[in-house]
Amino acid sequence: MNNGIIFGRDTSFHFNRIFDAYAQIKYNKFSYFQSNFGFDKSGRLVNALYGPYFAYVLGFILLIVKSWFRFQLVTSFLVFFTGGYGLFKLSKRLGANEFFSLVSSALFMATPWLAGWINITQFTSMGTMLLPFIAILGSRMLDTPDDPINPLSLGFVMAIITEVHLLSSIFAVLFLIPCFIIGFIRSSVKLQMFLKAGLSVLIYLVLTSNIWVAMITVFSKNNVAHPFSNIDMASSALSIGTGMMSPTSLGLVLSILIIFQISWMFINNVDWKIRDLTIIGLVFIVLSSNLLPWNRLAVEVPPLSFNLQFPSRIITMGAIILLAMIAVTLTELSNKGISIQKATRVSVIILSSLLIFEAYSNTQGRAQKWNDDNMPINKDGLVHVRSKATAKTIKAAYKDTNPEKAIVLVKKPIPDYLPLHAVDQTKVNLYKVYSDEILNNESGFEKHAYKNGVLEIKWKDNKKGQKLIPAFAYQQSRVTLNGKAIDPKTTKLGTILVDSKKGNNNLTLRYVQPKFFNALLVVSIIFWIAILIGLLVTTL
């Protein structure tokens, strides 16, 4: 990585999420809903709606490693190791030998769908690293008709993926549905399979209850801003391609391997399990491609444009399945004779080396920007860099053992999950509004977080009048001004407006969560521990 940070389009957003969790742990000032440390100490809601438990896991990692540079190194290793190990175990389970299982694992680690975390801080990669384990559980439904489901494993793994990345859990469900249907038809214990599936869902819902209750309470009372809408979804759909692999192109090497796998399936009388999984993987490729009218779908089904955003994301599950199937097929092919075995291994090593070299070159090219004399951050019109910050000070901040230094130097106006008021999100540039009302409106304010989840904001005015406070109020927010409870006015973005007095002013902001929510968290965490112990006991 050239001893530097790779700064992607989502780096500022996720680093702020992680920093908020880190600061809560470090200072013992927990606030499950309200961000009192990250996102400019603005009191907005993010982590409660986006991988809450996993945010604390990442925050704890940052607390241990201390700097963003080390954090990116450690988490990138975890993503590659977890994803690679998962695909190795999947390939072995399906019948591939150790050599080709390692090859498929290496190929998976070279794909942009797993490397997206290190290259552009894409959180989809965090979910992708766990999907091979879902594929293992799904394949069990296909090839173990007398015991197709372990409810503890299935509920637990699905819950982990949901706590990490909600969209990835949807891909997991889309994969499990055909596996369940096919497995149910072939199962010799249909009633047992159905009941165990229901138990898996129940375990899953209890483990992830913190997410669903938070979403229901927030979304039911607030007009929450959704992520940006990608109205040109077709441009980010997947294509086969003959060049280098990218998030929207399979590239030459992977295209050759997948075409080979599909051709092998049709030419040869392959095992029904291999056939079924190959077809399921192919369906995922088709769904992620421009064979579907994505721009039309974006208009007719608007949630697709801001929840899925990029159709190429769907390929993650398909790539995992097909890479494992390729490993199985190559194993079968290499068993046909010594000469064929040698030729197969040499061909695969050459193709794999090309793909891995592509991935390495891509990552090194991005990392090299850090060592250039120019500003290491792409100022794309949205990223705000403190005016006096230089390339040297920014580089030093991301390696400093106080991660807050980087957070205050580099900011990005991202309006996701803000409490909008009487505004059509498609007709207003919320990024500019955020910059004006928050990032360019911080001077003169002093902010402090307390252990009870309260955010205190102080300022001094030379005269009385209306004041725009760089913080947000939701319907469940409780606000006091100079010791008195108020129902503040807000802008279209949800930013607080108050009548400021001459002299010193004090505002407190606290998000009031449901009374039962802390008890729900306790039950959820106890359930996580109990299921984990149960899995360890049954495994050992």
Side-chain angles (χ1 to χ4, degrees), residues 125-294:
S125 299
M126 290 288 189
T128 300
M129 72 177 177
L130 298 168
L131 290 178
F133 299 97
I134 280 295
I136 290 173
L137 297 173
S139 65
R140 174 175 173 165
M141 296 181 189
L142 297 176
D143 63 15
T144 315
D146 57 334
D147 187 22
I149 294 177
N150 180 332
L152 289 182
S153 298
L154 184 56
F156 186 75
V157 175
M158 275 299 303
I160 291 177
I161 295 176
T162 304
E163 290 286 352
V164 172
H165 191 246
L166 186 58
L167 183 60
S168 294
S169 70
I170 295 175
F171 298 153
V173 170
L174 290 176
F175 168 73
L176 289 173
I177 289 173
C179 289
F180 179 83
I181 294 173
I182 297 171
F184 186 80
I185 293 171
R186 294 174 179 159
S187 177
S188 57
V189 286
K190 288 182 170 58
L191 178 60
Q192 183 187 93
M193 183 178 182
F194 184 80
L195 292 176
K196 284 187 174 181
L199 181 57
S200 300
V201 173
L202 181 61
I203 292 171
Y204 167 77
L205 289 175
V206 175
L207 292 175
T208 58
S209 56
N210 61 309
I211 294 177
W212 311 121
V213 173
M215 285 187 170
I216 290 170
T217 57
V218 174
F219 292 150
S220 64
K221 295 184 178 181
N222 299 274
N223 178 28
V224 177
H226 56 69
F228 89 95
S229 296
N230 180 17
I231 57 175
D232 186 17
M233 295 183 72
S235 64
S236 55
L238 190 74
S239 60
I240 293 179
T242 56
M244 292 182 65
M245 186 168 51
S246 73
T248 57
S249 174
L250 290 174
L252 179 62
V253 175
L254 201 55
S255 294
I256 290 174
L257 290 172
I258 290 175
I259 291 172
F260 163 75
Q261 171 61 25
I262 296 171
S263 302
W264 179 268
M265 180 190 70
F266 283 109
I267 293 173
N268 296 274
N269 185 25
V270 299
D271 181 82
W272 55 264
K273 176 181 63 178
I274 306 304
R275 180 200 63 207
D276 292 345
L277 287 172
T278 300
I279 291 173
I280 292 172
L282 181 60
V283 169
F284 273 94
I285 288 182
V286 171
L287 290 176
S288 65
S289 73
N290 47 25
L291 292 175
L292 272 67
W294 282 110

Side-chain angles (χ1 to χ4, degrees), residues 12-25 30-39 43-59 123 162-164 210-212 214-215 218 416-417 474 517 521:
S12 181
F13 176 73
H14 291 301
F15 277 16
N16 267 274
R17 291 202 312 116
I18 295 158
F19 174 74
D20 190 74
Y22 152 89
Q24 289 184 44
I25 298 170
F30 289 92
S31 175
Y32 185 88
F33 283 87
Q34 186 171 289
S35 297
N36 290 339
F37 295 98
F39 299 102
R44 63 186 291 186
L45 275 57
V46 179
N47 279 342
L49 307 173
Y50 196 130
Y53 286 163
F54 193 59
Y56 283 110
V57 172
L58 295 177
F123 220 74
T162 304
E163 290 286 352
V164 172
N210 61 309
I211 294 177
W212 311 121
M215 285 187 170
V218 174
D416 300 10
Y417 312 122
Y474 293 76
F517 196 78
L521 288 179

